[in-house]
Amino acid sequence: MPTDPQAPPTPPARARRWPRRVAVTLAVVLVGGAGLYLRNSSTIAGREEGQRPFLLAHRGIAQTFDLAGVTADTCTARIIHPPQVPHLENTLPSLRAAFDAGADQAEIDVQLTRDGQLAVFHDATLDCRTDGTGTVGEHTMDELRRLDIGYGYTSDNGTSFPLRGSGVGLLPTVAEVFAALPGRAFKVDLKRDQQADGDALADFLGTLPADRLATVTVTGGDTAVAAVRRRLPQVRTASRATIKSCLIDYAGIGWTGHVPDSCRHLELPLPARYGRWLWGWPNLFVARMRGVDTRVVLVRGEGEWSAGFDTPADLAELPDGWTGGIWTNRVDVIAQDR
């Protein structure tokens, strides 16, 4: 049959197949993307039935302050808000009040004394909050008990010291805290990143029955936490190294729904703004971590320092349906709105 000179040329077979290949590729990408979304959709996962937020009371119920302008050298006892509660951080009255208000766990800070005891105190030096000087490690426990740990608190630049005189004899040991509050869960934060501190804490924790030990979390620097983790692998822990390893590994394979071994049996304190980059955030991520005995705890703050969810307005920053942990200095305030 003769060829019509006016007819358009017939495209080669390779050119005719190109649109079909593009369509198939797009279809595969769309199906794969849909599958990836469905596998990691927190909305579809929904809220876990019966789960509610876990309240972590930071140092019990104590004084709060504005984080604006705070540096590593800031004496935060000198910049507190006008006191709304009578309690001093890391003391038995403060911790009792936190649990009475509805805390699920309380955080306490721990350091070794000169005579090898585990004192519950936060600061690197005594000079800010107390009428003492030097470090915890330079004093015996008996010397520390004689200090007034409410001595330095002021909300008006030193015009008045409303808590002065109220803290004599209130600095406890870890053993005293655990004995005075049986059945309560604690997060123990090792303030000095020293193996000796980790070993001393492991010695104490090793005396606890298994059911009490299961309620304990240990956090702190890499060296101190590693000392506890080696001796007591059944204790939930957190340090910069363990958190970093977990999040990097999860970023790489979390899209599959698998939780890497580096994320097992940890605590993950996270600013809410980081969460949106995690597969399955928020509800599915929390459920996955709970499945490997890892607790996710949200903290507030955009800078170097973490802040607590301390007011009803702060709770508006939580993801919808949040069932993970909430870090707070005022559990008495937010427990009512949990």
Side-chain angles (χ1 to χ4, degrees):
M1 178 181 294
T3 303
D4 183 352
Q6 301 299 318
T10 301
R14 180 177 299 173
R16 291 196 304 270
R17 288 194 297 269
W18 183 82
R20 182 185 303 169
R21 289 176 175 172
V22 170
V24 170
T25 300
L26 287 175
V28 170
V29 170
L30 289 173
V31 169
L36 188 62
Y37 170 78
L38 292 173
R39 179 177 289 273
N40 293 282
S41 172
S42 182
T43 301
I44 292 175
R47 180 169 178 160
E48 292 180 273
E49 190 66 29
Q51 289 290 343
R52 60 174 177 75
F54 178 94
L55 298 184
L56 173 59
H58 181 229
R59 306 179 200 165
I61 296 175
Q63 309 308 311
T64 58
F65 53 88
D66 192 340
L67 277 171
V70 168
T71 69
D73 297 325
T74 300
C75 174
T76 56
R78 307 292 167 84
I79 59 170
I80 62 169
H81 299 131
Q84 296 180 328
V85 295
H87 307 302
L88 296 167
E89 64 179 47
N90 279 315
T91 62
L92 285 175
S94 172
L95 296 166
R96 284 196 185 98
F99 287 120
D100 289 346
D104 296 296
Q105 187 180 54
E107 177 181 338
I108 57 175
D109 301 301
V110 172
Q111 306 180 51
L112 265 182
T113 65
R114 193 178 78 207
D115 55 343
Q117 298 196 59
L118 289 165
V120 180
F121 189 78
H122 172 270
D123 293 1
T125 63
L126 300 168
D127 306 62
C128 168
R129 306 175 194 278
T130 83
D131 52 349
T133 59
T135 67
V136 167
E138 293 171 338
H139 294 266
T140 67
M141 194 64 213
D142 284 343
E143 291 169 345
L144 294 172
R145 290 189 202 282
R146 294 196 287 268
L147 298 178
D148 177 7
I149 60 175
Y151 186 86
Y153 287 84
T154 179
S155 62
D156 52 16
N157 297 313
T159 300
S160 65
F161 293 87
L163 299 170
R164 184 169 288 184
S166 67
V168 179
L170 290 188
L171 199 159
T173 65
V174 168
E176 290 167 345
V177 168
F178 274 73
L181 295 164
R184 298 298 192 176
F186 288 99
K187 171 184 169 184
V188 183
D189 191 21
L190 290 159
K191 301 313 296 181
R192 300 194 321 162
D193 190 19
Q194 303 290 331
Q195 180 166 335
D197 291 53
D199 285 338
L201 181 59
D203 287 341
F204 166 71
L205 294 178
T207 68
L208 299 179
D211 58 344
R212 188 79 191 273
L213 195 59
T215 70
V216 176
T217 300
V218 175
T219 62
D222 295 339
T223 299
V225 170
V228 175
R229 198 171 177 88
R230 280 193 299 270
R231 302 249 316 264
L232 300 169
Q234 69 271 41
V235 173
R236 182 184 291 111
T237 57
S239 69
R240 183 182 295 273
T242 61
I243 294 168
K244 181 179 179 181
S245 177
C246 166
L247 294 181
I248 290 175
D249 291 348
Y250 185 78
I253 66 172
W255 62 272
T256 67
H258 176 70
V259 179
D261 288 342
S262 57
C263 289
R264 292 180 179 276
H265 205 49
L266 301 178
E267 179 166 300
L268 291 178
L270 295 172
R273 63 193 178 99
Y274 292 162
R276 59 181 175 266
W277 303 108
L278 297 170
W279 299 108
W281 184 260
N283 302 331
L284 185 55
F285 176 77
V286 170
R288 286 173 176 172
M289 292 299 155
R290 188 176 287 122
V292 295
D293 194 33
T294 286
R295 181 179 296 137
V296 183
V297 178
L298 277 194
V299 300
R300 294 181 63 244
E302 298 293 321
E304 182 179 358
W305 311 108
S306 298
F309 291 86
D310 298 337
T311 69
D314 293 340
L315 295 178
E317 301 175 23
L318 293 171
D320 290 341
W322 178 252
T323 61
I326 300 174
W327 194 79
T328 179
N329 299 291
R330 292 298 305 275
V331 67
D332 56 321
V333 173
I334 71 161
Q336 304 170 35
D337 297 297
R338 172 166 50 172

